[in-house]
Amino acid sequence: MPDEKQTLALSFIHEEPELAAKILEKSDIAELAGFLQSIPSDYQNILLRNMLPFYSSKVCIYLGADEAAGLLADLEVTALAKILRNLPKNDKARILDKYSANIKNACNLLLRFSSQSIGAWMRPVFASITSDMTVAEVLSHLKKTPEEVYADFVYIIDRNGKLAGRITSLDLLKANKKFLALDIAEKNTPLISANMLLEQVAELSIWEKSDVVSVIDMNEQFLGVLKHADLRIGLKEVNKAPSEQADSSDLVSGILEVYGKTLLVLFSTVMNVIE
């Protein structure tokens, strides 16, 4: 059972994840690694998503491939790829070898692209719903592979790997089971190239009608989807000035001056301050 101080620490992480991450980035890597391993996986994920990938990668190098793979295991693929991008090639390969083929393939797909391009921030969708499947066949397939459902959409590809349409899960459930899924799917959905720059895509008018668009490669093969929220995160990450990444906010600096250099020190003393 967590003690009172750890409970306070976890509450702080939950309520102020960005601030907690900034404080932890000032910690010694060994202390940071130990702290991350001592807290539940949900809180590990919160911190890893909010820490700069550079610091998370340093923790992975310190821990070694086996322990690092365990630490990162519950992250979604986009967050995982951001951290792996900062690792040396050999370390990256050793960690990826610990995961399933689907996760490994998805990460390698994202890592092919520059961090300033859409491809690095999309969510890979390895759709196997083909244009010749009936509604009944699609529903049966999705029961066996629920991970292929992205939000409310199911993406349908043709035999050449190109996007043929998308359909909501609700429409699938309401449709005649004998119909082809493609016949009731939305056609001509918005498409963007994985090689486009974040700044270019941010200016497109497609966001006025949808908050998620499909991503294709230079051969028009369907790769995945980009949410507008992920686009904003990408822009924020790539536009961070070095000085902003290296220096903490005035608030963080003030906390560090009072409580020391690590979040561990903060959490071990703040209870006394509150009392």
Side-chain angles (χ1 to χ4, degrees):
M1 293 290 290
D3 59 23
E4 191 173 32
K5 290 175 183 177
Q6 189 182 42
T7 299
L8 176 63
L10 298 180
S11 297
F12 181 71
I13 291 169
H14 184 267
E15 296 298 327
E16 298 287 348
E18 290 189 18
L19 180 56
K22 287 179 180 179
I23 296 172
L24 278 171
E25 289 168 0
K26 298 292 183 180
S27 303
D28 174 80
I29 292 300
E31 290 180 329
L32 174 54
F35 178 71
L36 286 171
Q37 290 184 305
S38 73
I39 60 177
S41 61
D42 289 350
Y43 293 90
Q44 290 175 352
N45 291 343
I46 291 173
L47 288 172
L48 289 169
R49 287 198 304 269
N50 283 278
M51 287 170 58
L52 293 173
F54 170 74
Y55 290 99
S56 301
S57 65
K58 290 175 71 174
V59 172
C60 293
I61 293 172
Y62 173 82
L63 290 175
D66 288 339
E67 293 190 46
L71 181 67
L72 305 177
D74 293 329
L75 288 177
E76 62 180 25
V77 171
T78 48
L80 175 60
K82 283 199 299 182
I83 296 172
L84 294 179
R85 187 181 293 276
N86 292 274
L87 290 173
K89 184 177 180 179
N90 290 338
D91 293 320
K92 187 188 307 176
R94 283 194 290 267
I95 291 175
L96 279 176
D97 282 342
K98 306 296 180 182
Y99 298 131
S100 67
N102 281 346
I103 293 177
K104 186 174 181 179
N105 291 338
C107 280
N108 283 328
L109 173 63
L110 295 175
L111 292 170
R112 280 171 37 196
F113 298 96
S114 160
S115 61
Q116 296 184 340
S117 69
I118 289 304
W121 300 92
M122 67 181 176
R123 302 190 180 201
V125 178
F126 294 107
S128 56
I129 306 303
T130 56
S131 54
D132 56 1
M133 293 176 70
T134 65
V135 170
E137 289 171 332
V138 171
L139 291 172
S140 176
H141 175 80
L142 293 178
K143 286 181 181 178
K144 299 174 185 176
T145 55
E147 68 276 4
E148 291 188 5
V149 181
Y150 175 79
D152 291 328
F153 287 110
V154 177
Y155 290 84
I156 304 173
I157 58 173
D158 63 24
R159 291 295 177 179
N160 296 315
K162 296 182 180 181
L163 182 64
R166 67 183 186 184
I167 184 172
T168 66
S169 301
L170 180 60
D171 284 342
L172 273 173
L173 292 172
K174 291 165 55 179
N176 187 313
K177 303 301 184 289
K178 296 181 180 180
F179 287 178
L180 288 177
L182 184 59
D183 289 342
I184 56 171
E186 176 187 356
K187 317 289 196 312
N188 302 317
T189 59
L191 299 174
I192 55 175
S193 169
N195 293 304
M196 290 182 70
L197 298 178
L198 294 168
E199 289 83 359
Q200 291 177 309
V201 175
E203 300 298 324
L204 297 178
S205 60
I206 54 176
W207 301 114
E208 297 174 4
K209 298 181 179 180
S210 178
D211 65 351
V212 58
V213 297
S214 303
V215 182
I216 58 176
D217 65 12
M218 59 188 303
N219 296 314
E220 299 184 357
Q221 301 282 301
F222 176 60
L223 297 179
V225 293
L226 178 73
K227 292 189 67 176
H228 194 259
D230 292 329
L231 173 64
R232 296 196 301 271
I233 292 172
L235 287 168
K236 181 179 178 181
E237 290 280 342
V238 301
N239 289 329
K240 279 181 179 178
S243 59
E244 182 182 348
Q245 294 184 10
D247 298 332
S248 57
S249 66
D250 292 340
L251 177 58
V252 176
S253 298
I255 289 175
L256 295 175
E257 288 175 7
V258 176
Y259 297 114
K261 293 185 177 180
T262 70
L263 190 58
L264 302 177
V265 174
L266 169 63
F267 288 154
S268 67
T269 60
V270 74
M271 183 61 73
N272 293 331
V273 174
I274 293 173
E275 291 174 351

